[in-house]
Amino acid sequence: MIFCNQRYRELYGFRNDEAMAGMPFRDLVRTGFQRYPGELAGRTVEQAVEERMRLHRHQFGVREIELRLNRRWVQANDSLMPDGSLVCLRTDITR
């Protein structure tokens, strides 16, 4: 992760020390599943992390995500850059 702000942390329920610049995305995903086991849907933490990482590498464009932990809806816009990096923007679209 190169950048995240306080609003991102609030949306996803992370403390400042759990989501910060320089943190590998995989570690952030793992922390989320460990803190919110209700999101595992019968999978182990590692199975859930692997599935999320697969989506992270192959699911581009705009989609909506339900954040069940705080009953919010987020518009996710993920764009693959020419150098292979990924730019991910999140916008709270809850009405």
Side-chain angles (χ1 to χ4, degrees):
M1 177 181 314
I2 295 184
F3 175 81
C4 78
N5 59 20
Q6 188 60 34
R7 185 65 182 129
Y8 177 88
R9 291 181 193 98
E10 291 167 3
L11 276 173
Y12 288 91
F14 291 113
R15 297 184 317 250
N16 288 347
D17 64 327
E18 292 176 326
M20 59 188 142
M23 170 177 249
F25 183 69
R26 178 181 291 276
D27 293 350
L28 185 67
V29 170
R30 183 176 292 108
T31 297
F33 284 121
Q34 288 169 338
R35 286 191 65 210
Y36 303 103
E39 299 294 320
L40 291 173
R43 302 167 292 181
T44 67
V45 169
E46 287 309 311
Q47 288 170 331
V49 168
E50 287 305 316
E51 182 178 332
R52 180 63 187 94
M53 294 306 296
R54 243 186 332 275
L55 289 173
H56 182 67
R57 288 187 297 268
H58 301 291
Q59 188 175 27
F60 308 117
V62 178
R63 65 191 184 285
E64 293 179 357
I65 302 169
E66 179 185 9
L67 302 178
R68 290 184 290 262
L69 74 111
N70 59 11
R71 297 185 181 112
R72 310 297 295 175
W73 282 89
V74 173
Q75 180 181 30
N77 187 341
D78 297 343
S79 301
L80 185 63
M81 308 285 35
D83 68 356
S85 61
L86 190 60
V87 174
C88 305
L89 300 174
R90 301 294 183 262
T91 305
D92 186 350
I93 58 170
T94 306
R95 295 179 192 205

Coordinates of all heavy atoms in Angstrom, one line a residue:
M1 N 0.9 -1.2 0.0 CA 0.0 0.0 0.0 C 0.9 1.2 0.0 O 1.8 1.3 0.8 CB -0.9 0.0 1.2 CG -1.7 1.2 1.3 SD -2.8 1.3 2.8 CE -3.5 -0.3 2.8
I2 N 0.6 2.1 -0.9 CA 1.4 3.4 -1.0 C 0.8 4.5 -0.2 O 1.4 5.3 0.5 CB 1.6 3.8 -2.4 CG1 2.4 2.7 -3.1 CG2 2.2 5.1 -2.6 CD1 2.8 3.0 -4.5
F3 N -0.6 4.5 -0.2 CA -1.3 5.6 0.5 C -2.6 5.1 1.0 O -3.3 4.4 0.3 CB -1.5 6.8 -0.4 CG -2.3 7.9 0.2 CD1 -1.7 8.8 1.1 CD2 -3.6 8.0 0.0 CE1 -2.4 9.8 1.7 CE2 -4.4 9.0 0.5 CZ -3.8 9.9 1.4
C4 N -3.0 5.6 2.2 CA -4.4 5.4 2.7 C -4.6 6.5 3.7 O -3.7 7.0 4.3 CB -4.7 4.0 3.3 SG -4.0 3.8 4.9
N5 N -5.9 7.0 3.8 CA -6.2 8.0 4.7 C -7.0 7.5 5.8 O -7.4 6.3 5.9 CB -6.9 9.2 4.0 CG -8.1 8.8 3.3 OD1 -8.7 7.8 3.6 ND2 -8.6 9.6 2.3
Q6 N -7.4 8.4 6.7 CA -8.1 8.0 7.9 C -9.5 7.5 7.5 O -10.0 6.6 8.1 CB -8.3 9.2 8.9 CG -8.9 8.8 10.2 CD -8.1 7.8 11.0 OE1 -6.9 7.7 10.9 NE2 -8.8 6.9 11.7
R7 N -10.1 8.1 6.5 CA -11.5 7.6 6.1 C -11.4 6.2 5.6 O -12.3 5.4 5.9 CB -12.0 8.5 5.0 CG -13.4 8.2 4.6 CD -14.4 8.4 5.7 NE -15.7 8.1 5.3 CZ -16.5 7.3 5.9 NH1 -16.2 6.8 7.1 NH2 -17.7 6.9 5.5
Y8 N -10.4 5.8 4.9 CA -10.2 4.4 4.5 C -10.2 3.5 5.7 O -10.8 2.4 5.8 CB -8.9 4.2 3.7 CG -8.6 2.8 3.3 CD1 -9.1 2.3 2.1 CD2 -7.8 2.0 4.1 CE1 -8.8 1.0 1.7 CE2 -7.5 0.7 3.7 CZ -8.0 0.2 2.5 OH -7.8 -1.1 2.1
R9 N -9.4 3.9 6.7 CA -9.3 3.1 8.0 C -10.7 3.0 8.6 O -11.0 1.9 9.1 CB -8.3 3.7 8.9 CG -6.9 3.6 8.4 CD -5.9 4.3 9.5 NE -4.6 4.4 8.9 CZ -4.1 5.6 8.3 NH1 -4.9 6.6 8.3 NH2 -2.9 5.6 7.8
E10 N -11.4 4.1 8.7 CA -12.7 4.0 9.3 C -13.7 3.1 8.5 O -14.4 2.4 9.1 CB -13.3 5.5 9.3 CG -12.6 6.4 10.3 CD -12.9 7.8 10.1 OE1 -13.8 8.2 9.3 OE2 -12.4 8.7 10.8
L11 N -13.7 3.2 7.2 CA -14.6 2.4 6.4 C -14.3 0.9 6.6 O -15.3 0.1 6.7 CB -14.4 2.7 4.9 CG -15.1 3.8 4.3 CD1 -14.7 4.1 2.9 CD2 -16.6 3.6 4.4
Y12 N -13.1 0.5 6.7 CA -12.7 -0.9 6.8 C -12.4 -1.3 8.3 O -12.1 -2.5 8.5 CB -11.5 -1.2 5.9 CG -11.9 -1.2 4.5 CD1 -11.8 -0.1 3.7 CD2 -12.4 -2.4 3.9 CE1 -12.2 -0.1 2.4 CE2 -12.8 -2.4 2.6 CZ -12.7 -1.3 1.8 OH -13.0 -1.3 0.5
G13 N -12.6 -0.4 9.2 CA -12.4 -0.8 10.6 C -11.0 -1.0 11.1 O -10.8 -1.8 12.0
F14 N -10.0 -0.4 10.5 CA -8.6 -0.6 10.8 C -8.1 0.5 11.8 O -8.5 1.7 11.7 CB -7.7 -0.6 9.6 CG -7.9 -1.7 8.7 CD1 -8.4 -1.6 7.5 CD2 -7.5 -3.0 9.1 CE1 -8.6 -2.7 6.6 CE2 -7.6 -4.1 8.3 CZ -8.2 -3.9 7.0
R15 N -7.2 0.2 12.7 CA -6.5 1.1 13.5 C -5.4 1.8 12.7 O -5.0 1.2 11.6 CB -5.9 0.5 14.8 CG -7.0 -0.1 15.7 CD -6.3 -0.7 17.0 NE -5.0 -1.4 16.7 CZ -4.9 -2.7 16.8 NH1 -5.9 -3.4 17.2 NH2 -3.7 -3.3 16.6
N16 N -4.9 2.9 13.1 CA -3.8 3.5 12.4 C -2.6 2.6 12.1 O -2.0 2.7 11.1 CB -3.3 4.8 13.1 CG -4.3 5.9 13.0 OD1 -5.3 5.9 12.2 ND2 -4.1 6.9 13.8
D17 N -2.3 1.8 13.1 CA -1.1 0.9 13.0 C -1.4 -0.3 12.1 O -0.5 -1.1 11.8 CB -0.6 0.5 14.4 CG -1.5 -0.3 15.2 OD1 -2.8 -0.1 15.0 OD2 -1.1 -1.2 15.9
E18 N -2.6 -0.5 11.8 CA -3.0 -1.7 11.0 C -3.1 -1.4 9.5 O -3.1 -2.3 8.7 CB -4.4 -2.3 11.4 CG -4.3 -2.9 12.8 CD -5.7 -3.3 13.3 OE1 -6.7 -2.7 12.9 OE2 -5.7 -4.3 14.0
A19 N -3.2 -0.2 9.1 CA -3.3 0.2 7.7 C -2.5 1.5 7.5 O -2.9 2.6 7.9 CB -4.8 0.5 7.3
M20 N -1.3 1.3 6.9 CA -0.4 2.4 6.7 C 0.4 2.2 5.5 O 0.6 1.1 5.0 CB 0.5 2.6 7.9 CG 1.3 1.5 8.3 SD 2.1 1.8 9.9 CE 2.1 0.1 10.5
A21 N 0.9 3.3 5.0 CA 1.8 3.3 3.8 C 2.9 2.3 4.0 O 3.5 2.3 5.1 CB 2.3 4.7 3.5
G22 N 3.2 1.6 2.9 CA 4.3 0.6 3.0 C 3.9 -0.8 3.4 O 4.7 -1.7 3.3
M23 N 2.7 -0.9 3.9 CA 2.3 -2.2 4.3 C 1.9 -3.1 3.1 O 1.1 -2.6 2.3 CB 1.1 -2.0 5.3 CG 0.3 -3.3 5.6 SD -1.0 -3.0 6.8 CE -0.3 -3.7 8.2
P24 N 2.3 -4.3 3.1 CA 1.8 -5.2 2.0 C 0.3 -5.4 2.1 O -0.2 -5.6 3.1 CB 2.6 -6.5 2.3 CG 3.8 -6.1 3.1 CD 3.3 -5.0 3.9
F25 N -0.3 -5.4 0.9 CA -1.8 -5.5 0.9 C -2.2 -6.9 1.5 O -3.2 -6.9 2.2 CB -2.3 -5.4 -0.6 CG -3.7 -5.5 -0.7 CD1 -4.6 -4.5 -0.2 CD2 -4.3 -6.6 -1.3 CE1 -5.9 -4.5 -0.4 CE2 -5.7 -6.7 -1.5 CZ -6.5 -5.6 -1.0
R26 N -1.4 -7.9 1.2 CA -1.8 -9.2 1.8 C -1.9 -9.2 3.3 O -2.8 -9.8 3.9 CB -0.7 -10.2 1.4 CG -0.9 -11.6 1.9 CD 0.2 -12.6 1.5 NE 0.1 -12.9 0.1 CZ -0.7 -13.8 -0.5 NH1 -1.4 -14.6 0.3 NH2 -0.7 -14.0 -1.8
D27 N -1.0 -8.4 4.0 CA -1.0 -8.3 5.4 C -2.3 -7.6 5.9 O -2.9 -7.9 6.9 CB 0.2 -7.6 5.9 CG 1.5 -8.4 5.7 OD1 1.4 -9.6 5.4 OD2 2.6 -7.8 5.9
L28 N -2.6 -6.6 5.1 CA -3.8 -5.8 5.4 C -5.1 -6.7 5.3 O -5.9 -6.7 6.2 CB -4.0 -4.6 4.5 CG -5.1 -3.6 4.7 CD1 -4.9 -2.9 6.0 CD2 -5.2 -2.7 3.6
V29 N -5.2 -7.5 4.3 CA -6.3 -8.4 4.1 C -6.3 -9.4 5.2 O -7.4 -9.7 5.8 CB -6.2 -9.1 2.7 CG1 -7.2 -10.2 2.6 CG2 -6.4 -8.1 1.6
R30 N -5.2 -10.0 5.6 CA -5.1 -11.0 6.6 C -5.6 -10.4 8.0 O -6.4 -11.0 8.7 CB -3.7 -11.5 6.8 CG -3.6 -12.6 7.9 CD -2.2 -13.2 8.0 NE -1.9 -14.0 6.8 CZ -1.0 -13.6 5.8 NH1 -0.4 -12.4 5.9 NH2 -0.8 -14.3 4.8
T31 N -5.2 -9.2 8.3 CA -5.6 -8.5 9.5 C -7.1 -8.3 9.5 O -7.8 -8.6 10.5 CB -4.9 -7.1 9.6 OG1 -3.5 -7.3 9.7 CG2 -5.4 -6.4 10.8
G32 N -7.7 -7.9 8.4 CA -9.1 -7.8 8.3 C -9.9 -9.1 8.6 O -10.8 -9.1 9.3
F33 N -9.4 -10.2 8.0 CA -10.1 -11.4 8.2 C -9.9 -11.9 9.6 O -10.8 -12.6 10.2 CB -9.7 -12.5 7.2 CG -10.3 -12.3 5.8 CD1 -9.5 -12.1 4.7 CD2 -11.7 -12.3 5.7 CE1 -10.0 -12.0 3.5 CE2 -12.2 -12.2 4.4 CZ -11.4 -12.0 3.3
Q34 N -8.8 -11.7 10.2 CA -8.5 -12.1 11.6 C -9.4 -11.3 12.6 O -9.9 -11.9 13.5 CB -7.0 -11.9 12.0 CG -6.2 -12.9 11.3 CD -4.7 -12.6 11.4 OE1 -4.3 -11.5 11.6 NE2 -3.9 -13.6 11.3
R35 N -9.6 -10.0 12.3 CA -10.4 -9.2 13.2 C -11.9 -9.4 13.0 O -12.7 -9.2 13.9 CB -10.0 -7.7 13.0 CG -8.7 -7.4 13.6 CD -8.4 -5.9 13.6 NE -9.3 -5.2 14.5 CZ -9.6 -4.0 14.3 NH1 -9.2 -3.3 13.3 NH2 -10.4 -3.4 15.2
Y36 N -12.3 -9.8 11.8 CA -13.7 -9.9 11.5 C -14.0 -11.3 10.9 O -14.2 -11.5 9.7 CB -14.2 -8.8 10.5 CG -13.9 -7.4 11.0 CD1 -12.8 -6.7 10.6 CD2 -14.7 -6.9 12.0 CE1 -12.5 -5.4 11.1 CE2 -14.4 -5.7 12.6 CZ -13.3 -4.9 12.1 OH -13.1 -3.7 12.6
P37 N -13.9 -12.3 11.8 CA -14.1 -13.7 11.3 C -15.5 -14.0 10.7 O -15.6 -15.0 9.9 CB -13.9 -14.6 12.5 CG -14.0 -13.7 13.7 CD -13.7 -12.3 13.2
G38 N -16.4 -13.1 10.9 CA -17.7 -13.3 10.2 C -17.7 -13.2 8.7 O -18.5 -13.6 8.0
E39 N -16.6 -12.6 8.2 CA -16.4 -12.5 6.8 C -15.8 -13.7 6.1 O -15.6 -13.8 4.9 CB -15.5 -11.3 6.5 CG -16.0 -9.9 7.0 CD -17.3 -9.5 6.2 OE1 -17.4 -9.7 5.0 OE2 -18.2 -9.0 6.9
L40 N -15.4 -14.7 6.9 CA -14.7 -15.9 6.4 C -15.6 -16.8 5.6 O -15.1 -17.5 4.7 CB -14.1 -16.7 7.6 CG -12.9 -16.0 8.2 CD1 -12.4 -16.8 9.5 CD2 -11.7 -15.8 7.3
A41 N -16.9 -16.8 5.9 CA -17.9 -17.6 5.2 C -17.4 -19.1 5.1 O -17.4 -19.7 4.0 CB -18.1 -17.1 3.8
G42 N -17.0 -19.7 6.2 CA -16.7 -21.1 6.3 C -15.2 -21.4 5.8 O -14.8 -22.5 5.8
R43 N -14.5 -20.4 5.4 CA -13.1 -20.6 5.0 C -12.1 -20.3 6.1 O -12.5 -19.7 7.1 CB -12.8 -19.6 3.8 CG -13.7 -19.7 2.6 CD -13.5 -18.5 1.7 NE -14.0 -17.3 2.4 CZ -14.0 -16.1 1.8 NH1 -13.5 -15.9 0.6 NH2 -14.5 -15.1 2.5
T44 N -10.9 -20.8 6.0 CA -9.9 -20.5 6.9 C -9.4 -19.1 6.6 O -9.7 -18.6 5.5 CB -8.7 -21.4 6.8 OG1 -8.0 -21.3 5.6 CG2 -9.1 -22.9 7.1
V45 N -8.7 -18.4 7.5 CA -8.1 -17.1 7.2 C -7.3 -17.2 5.9 O -7.4 -16.3 5.0 CB -7.3 -16.6 8.4 CG1 -6.5 -15.3 8.0 CG2 -8.3 -16.3 9.6
E46 N -6.4 -18.2 5.8 CA -5.5 -18.2 4.7 C -6.3 -18.5 3.4 O -5.9 -17.9 2.3 CB -4.4 -19.3 4.9 CG -3.4 -18.8 5.9 CD -2.8 -17.4 5.6 OE1 -2.4 -17.2 4.4 OE2 -2.7 -16.6 6.5
Q47 N -7.3 -19.3 3.4 CA -8.1 -19.5 2.2 C -8.8 -18.2 1.8 O -8.8 -17.8 0.6 CB -9.2 -20.6 2.4 CG -8.7 -22.0 2.5 CD -9.7 -22.9 3.0 OE1 -10.7 -22.6 3.8 NE2 -9.6 -24.2 2.6
A48 N -9.3 -17.5 2.7 CA -10.0 -16.2 2.4 C -9.0 -15.2 1.9 O -9.3 -14.4 0.9 CB -10.7 -15.6 3.7
V49 N -7.8 -15.1 2.5 CA -6.7 -14.2 2.0 C -6.4 -14.6 0.5 O -6.3 -13.7 -0.3 CB -5.5 -14.3 2.9 CG1 -4.3 -13.6 2.3 CG2 -5.8 -13.7 4.3
E50 N -6.2 -15.9 0.3 CA -5.8 -16.3 -1.1 C -6.9 -15.9 -2.1 O -6.6 -15.4 -3.2 CB -5.5 -17.8 -1.2 CG -4.2 -18.1 -0.5 CD -3.0 -17.4 -1.1 OE1 -2.9 -17.2 -2.3 OE2 -2.2 -16.9 -0.3
E51 N -8.2 -16.1 -1.8 CA -9.3 -15.7 -2.7 C -9.3 -14.2 -2.9 O -9.4 -13.7 -4.0 CB -10.6 -16.2 -2.1 CG -11.8 -15.8 -3.0 CD -13.1 -16.3 -2.4 OE1 -13.1 -17.3 -1.7 OE2 -14.1 -15.7 -2.8
R52 N -9.1 -13.4 -1.8 CA -9.1 -12.0 -2.0 C -7.9 -11.5 -2.8 O -8.0 -10.6 -3.6 CB -9.1 -11.3 -0.6 CG -9.1 -9.8 -0.6 CD -10.3 -9.3 -1.3 NE -10.3 -7.9 -1.5 CZ -9.9 -7.3 -2.6 NH1 -9.5 -8.0 -3.7 NH2 -9.9 -6.0 -2.7
M53 N -6.8 -12.1 -2.7 CA -5.6 -11.7 -3.4 C -5.8 -12.1 -4.9 O -5.4 -11.3 -5.8 CB -4.3 -12.4 -2.9 CG -3.9 -12.0 -1.5 SD -3.7 -10.2 -1.4 CE -2.3 -9.9 -2.5
R54 N -6.5 -13.2 -5.2 CA -6.8 -13.5 -6.6 C -7.7 -12.5 -7.2 O -7.4 -12.0 -8.3 CB -7.5 -14.9 -6.6 CG -6.8 -16.0 -7.4 CD -7.5 -17.3 -7.6 NE -8.5 -17.6 -6.5 CZ -8.2 -18.2 -5.4 NH1 -7.0 -18.6 -5.1 NH2 -9.2 -18.5 -4.5
L55 N -8.7 -12.0 -6.5 CA -9.6 -11.0 -7.0 C -8.8 -9.7 -7.2 O -9.0 -9.0 -8.1 CB -10.7 -10.7 -6.0 CG -11.8 -11.8 -5.9 CD1 -12.7 -11.5 -4.8 CD2 -12.5 -11.9 -7.2
H56 N -7.9 -9.4 -6.2 CA -7.1 -8.2 -6.3 C -6.2 -8.1 -7.5 O -6.1 -7.1 -8.1 CB -6.2 -8.1 -5.0 CG -5.4 -6.9 -4.9 ND1 -5.9 -5.6 -4.7 CD2 -4.0 -6.7 -5.0 CE1 -4.9 -4.7 -4.7 NE2 -3.8 -5.4 -4.8
R57 N -5.7 -9.3 -8.0 CA -4.9 -9.3 -9.2 C -5.6 -9.4 -10.5 O -5.1 -9.0 -11.5 CB -4.0 -10.6 -9.1 CG -2.9 -10.5 -8.0 CD -1.9 -11.6 -8.1 NE -2.5 -12.9 -7.8 CZ -2.6 -13.5 -6.6 NH1 -2.1 -12.9 -5.6 NH2 -3.2 -14.7 -6.5
H58 N -6.9 -9.8 -10.4 CA -7.6 -10.0 -11.7 C -8.9 -9.3 -11.9 O -9.6 -9.4 -12.9 CB -7.9 -11.5 -11.9 CG -6.6 -12.3 -11.9 ND1 -5.7 -12.3 -12.9 CD2 -6.1 -13.2 -10.9 CE1 -4.7 -13.1 -12.6 NE2 -4.9 -13.6 -11.4
Q59 N -9.4 -8.6 -10.9 CA -10.7 -7.9 -11.0 C -10.5 -6.4 -11.0 O -10.3 -5.8 -10.0 CB -11.6 -8.3 -9.7 CG -13.0 -7.9 -9.8 CD -13.8 -8.4 -8.7 OE1 -13.3 -8.6 -7.6 NE2 -15.1 -8.5 -8.9
F60 N -10.6 -5.9 -12.3 CA -10.4 -4.5 -12.5 C -11.7 -3.8 -12.9 O -12.7 -4.5 -13.2 CB -9.4 -4.3 -13.6 CG -8.1 -5.0 -13.3 CD1 -7.7 -6.0 -14.2 CD2 -7.3 -4.8 -12.2 CE1 -6.5 -6.7 -13.9 CE2 -6.2 -5.4 -11.9 CZ -5.8 -6.4 -12.8
G61 N -11.7 -2.5 -12.9 CA -12.9 -1.8 -13.2 C -13.7 -1.3 -12.0 O -13.1 -1.2 -10.9
V62 N -14.9 -1.0 -12.2 CA -15.8 -0.4 -11.1 C -16.8 -1.4 -10.6 O -17.4 -2.1 -11.4 CB -16.5 0.9 -11.6 CG1 -17.4 1.4 -10.5 CG2 -15.5 1.9 -12.1
R63 N -16.9 -1.6 -9.3 CA -17.9 -2.5 -8.7 C -18.3 -1.9 -7.4 O -17.6 -1.0 -6.8 CB -17.3 -3.9 -8.6 CG -16.2 -4.0 -7.6 CD -15.5 -5.3 -7.7 NE -14.4 -5.5 -6.8 CZ -13.2 -4.9 -6.8 NH1 -12.9 -4.1 -7.8 NH2 -12.4 -5.1 -5.8
E64 N -19.4 -2.5 -6.9 CA -19.8 -2.1 -5.5 C -19.5 -3.2 -4.5 O -19.7 -4.3 -4.9 CB -21.3 -1.8 -5.6 CG -21.7 -0.5 -6.4 CD -23.2 -0.3 -6.4 OE1 -24.0 -1.1 -5.9 OE2 -23.5 0.7 -7.0
I65 N -19.1 -2.8 -3.3 CA -18.8 -3.7 -2.3 C -19.6 -3.4 -1.0 O -19.7 -2.2 -0.6 CB -17.3 -3.6 -1.9 CG1 -16.4 -3.8 -3.1 CG2 -16.9 -4.5 -0.8 CD1 -15.0 -3.5 -2.9
E66 N -20.2 -4.4 -0.5 CA -20.9 -4.2 0.8 C -20.0 -4.5 2.0 O -19.4 -5.5 2.0 CB -22.1 -5.1 0.9 CG -22.9 -5.0 2.2 CD -24.0 -6.0 2.4 OE1 -24.1 -6.9 1.6 OE2 -24.8 -5.8 3.4
L67 N -19.8 -3.5 2.8 CA -19.0 -3.7 4.0 C -20.0 -4.0 5.2 O -20.6 -3.2 5.8 CB -18.2 -2.4 4.4 CG -17.3 -1.9 3.2 CD1 -16.6 -0.6 3.7 CD2 -16.3 -3.0 2.9
R68 N -20.1 -5.3 5.4 CA -21.1 -5.8 6.4 C -20.8 -5.3 7.8 O -21.7 -5.1 8.6 CB -21.3 -7.3 6.3 CG -22.0 -7.7 5.1 CD -22.2 -9.2 5.1 NE -20.9 -9.9 4.9 CZ -20.5 -10.4 3.8 NH1 -21.2 -10.3 2.7 NH2 -19.4 -11.1 3.7
L69 N -19.5 -5.2 8.1 CA -19.2 -4.8 9.5 C -19.7 -3.5 10.0 O -20.0 -3.3 11.1 CB -17.6 -4.9 9.7 CG -16.8 -3.7 9.2 CD1 -16.3 -2.9 10.3 CD2 -15.7 -4.3 8.3
N70 N -19.9 -2.5 9.0 CA -20.4 -1.2 9.4 C -21.6 -0.8 8.5 O -22.0 0.4 8.5 CB -19.3 -0.2 9.4 CG -18.7 0.0 8.1 OD1 -19.1 -0.6 7.1 ND2 -17.6 0.7 8.0
R71 N -22.2 -1.8 7.8 CA -23.4 -1.5 6.9 C -23.2 -0.4 6.0 O -24.0 0.5 5.8 CB -24.6 -1.3 7.8 CG -24.9 -2.5 8.6 CD -26.2 -2.3 9.4 NE -26.5 -3.5 10.2 CZ -26.4 -3.5 11.5 NH1 -26.2 -2.4 12.2 NH2 -26.7 -4.6 12.2
R72 N -22.0 -0.3 5.3 CA -21.7 0.7 4.3 C -21.6 0.1 3.0 O -21.3 -1.1 2.8 CB -20.4 1.4 4.6 CG -20.2 2.0 6.0 CD -21.2 3.0 6.4 NE -21.1 4.2 5.7 CZ -21.9 5.3 5.8 NH1 -22.9 5.2 6.7 NH2 -21.7 6.3 5.1
W73 N -21.8 0.9 1.9 CA -21.6 0.4 0.5 C -20.4 1.3 0.0 O -20.4 2.5 0.2 CB -22.8 0.6 -0.3 CG -23.8 -0.5 -0.1 CD1 -24.8 -0.5 0.9 CD2 -23.8 -1.8 -0.7 NE1 -25.5 -1.7 0.8 CE2 -24.9 -2.5 -0.2 CE3 -23.1 -2.3 -1.8 CZ2 -25.2 -3.8 -0.6 CZ3 -23.4 -3.6 -2.2 CH2 -24.5 -4.3 -1.6
V74 N -19.5 0.6 -0.7 CA -18.3 1.3 -1.2 C -18.3 1.0 -2.7 O -18.5 -0.1 -3.2 CB -17.0 0.8 -0.5 CG1 -15.8 1.4 -1.2 CG2 -17.1 1.2 0.9
Q75 N -18.0 2.1 -3.5 CA -17.7 1.9 -4.9 C -16.2 1.7 -5.0 O -15.4 2.5 -4.6 CB -18.1 3.1 -5.7 CG -17.8 2.9 -7.2 CD -18.2 4.1 -8.0 OE1 -18.2 5.3 -7.5 NE2 -18.6 3.9 -9.2
A76 N -15.8 0.6 -5.6 CA -14.4 0.3 -5.8 C -14.0 0.5 -7.3 O -14.7 0.0 -8.2 CB -14.1 -1.2 -5.4
N77 N -13.0 1.2 -7.5 CA -12.5 1.5 -8.9 C -11.0 1.1 -8.9 O -10.2 1.8 -8.3 CB -12.7 2.9 -9.2 CG -12.4 3.2 -10.7 OD1 -11.7 2.4 -11.3 ND2 -12.8 4.3 -11.2
D78 N -10.7 -0.1 -9.5 CA -9.4 -0.6 -9.6 C -8.9 -0.5 -11.0 O -9.5 -1.1 -11.9 CB -9.3 -2.0 -9.1 CG -9.8 -2.2 -7.6 OD1 -9.7 -1.2 -6.9 OD2 -10.1 -3.3 -7.2
S79 N -7.7 0.1 -11.2 CA -7.1 0.3 -12.5 C -5.7 -0.3 -12.6 O -4.9 0.1 -11.7 CB -7.1 1.8 -12.9 OG -8.4 2.3 -12.9
L80 N -5.5 -1.1 -13.6 CA -4.1 -1.7 -13.8 C -3.3 -0.6 -14.6 O -3.7 -0.2 -15.6 CB -4.2 -3.0 -14.5 CG -2.9 -3.7 -14.8 CD1 -2.3 -4.2 -13.4 CD2 -3.2 -5.0 -15.6
M81 N -2.1 -0.3 -14.1 CA -1.3 0.7 -14.7 C -0.3 0.0 -15.7 O -0.1 -1.2 -15.5 CB -0.5 1.5 -13.6 CG -1.3 2.1 -12.5 SD -2.3 3.5 -12.8 CE -3.0 3.6 -14.4
P82 N 0.2 0.7 -16.6 CA 1.1 0.1 -17.6 C 2.3 -0.6 -17.0 O 2.8 -1.6 -17.5 CB 1.6 1.3 -18.5 CG 0.5 2.3 -18.3 CD 0.0 2.1 -16.9
D83 N 2.8 -0.2 -15.8 CA 3.9 -0.8 -15.2 C 3.5 -2.0 -14.3 O 4.4 -2.6 -13.7 CB 4.7 0.2 -14.3 CG 3.9 0.7 -13.1 OD1 2.7 0.3 -12.9 OD2 4.5 1.4 -12.3
G84 N 2.3 -2.4 -14.3 CA 1.8 -3.5 -13.6 C 1.3 -3.2 -12.2 O 0.7 -4.1 -11.5
S85 N 1.5 -2.0 -11.8 CA 0.9 -1.7 -10.4 C -0.6 -1.4 -10.5 O -1.1 -1.3 -11.6 CB 1.6 -0.4 -9.9 OG 1.4 0.7 -10.8
L86 N -1.2 -1.4 -9.4 CA -2.7 -1.3 -9.3 C -3.0 0.0 -8.5 O -2.5 0.2 -7.4 CB -3.2 -2.5 -8.7 CG -4.7 -2.8 -8.7 CD1 -5.2 -2.9 -10.1 CD2 -5.1 -4.0 -7.9
V87 N -3.9 0.8 -9.1 CA -4.4 1.9 -8.4 C -5.9 1.6 -8.0 O -6.7 1.2 -8.8 CB -4.4 3.2 -9.2 CG1 -5.1 4.4 -8.5 CG2 -3.0 3.6 -9.6
C88 N -6.1 1.7 -6.7 CA -7.4 1.3 -6.1 C -8.0 2.5 -5.4 O -7.4 3.0 -4.4 CB -7.3 0.1 -5.1 SG -6.4 -1.3 -5.8
L89 N -9.2 3.0 -5.8 CA -9.9 4.0 -5.2 C -11.2 3.5 -4.6 O -11.8 2.7 -5.2 CB -10.2 5.1 -6.2 CG -9.0 5.8 -6.9 CD1 -9.5 6.8 -8.0 CD2 -8.1 6.5 -5.9
R90 N -11.5 4.0 -3.4 CA -12.7 3.6 -2.7 C -13.5 4.8 -2.4 O -13.0 5.8 -1.8 CB -12.4 2.8 -1.4 CG -11.6 1.5 -1.6 CD -12.4 0.5 -2.4 NE -11.7 -0.7 -2.6 CZ -11.0 -1.1 -3.7 NH1 -10.9 -0.2 -4.7 NH2 -10.5 -2.3 -3.8
T91 N -14.8 4.8 -2.7 CA -15.7 5.9 -2.4 C -16.9 5.4 -1.7 O -17.6 4.4 -2.1 CB -16.2 6.6 -3.7 OG1 -15.0 7.0 -4.5 CG2 -17.1 7.8 -3.4
D92 N -17.2 6.0 -0.5 CA -18.4 5.6 0.3 C -19.7 6.1 -0.5 O -19.8 7.3 -0.7 CB -18.4 6.2 1.7 CG -19.5 5.7 2.6 OD1 -20.4 5.0 2.1 OD2 -19.4 6.0 3.8
I93 N -20.5 5.1 -0.9 CA -21.7 5.5 -1.7 C -23.0 5.2 -0.9 O -24.1 5.1 -1.4 CB -21.8 4.9 -3.1 CG1 -21.7 3.3 -3.0 CG2 -20.6 5.4 -3.9 CD1 -21.9 2.6 -4.3
T94 N -22.8 5.0 0.4 CA -24.0 4.6 1.3 C -25.0 5.8 1.2 O -24.6 6.9 1.3 CB -23.5 4.4 2.7 OG1 -22.5 3.4 2.7 CG2 -24.7 4.0 3.6
R95 N -26.3 5.5 1.1 CA -27.3 6.5 1.1 C -27.9 6.7 2.4 O -28.0 5.9 3.2 CB -28.4 6.2 0.1 CG -27.8 6.2 -1.3 CD -28.9 5.8 -2.3 NE -28.3 5.5 -3.5 CZ -28.9 5.6 -4.7 NH1 -30.1 6.0 -4.7 NH2 -28.2 5.4 -5.8

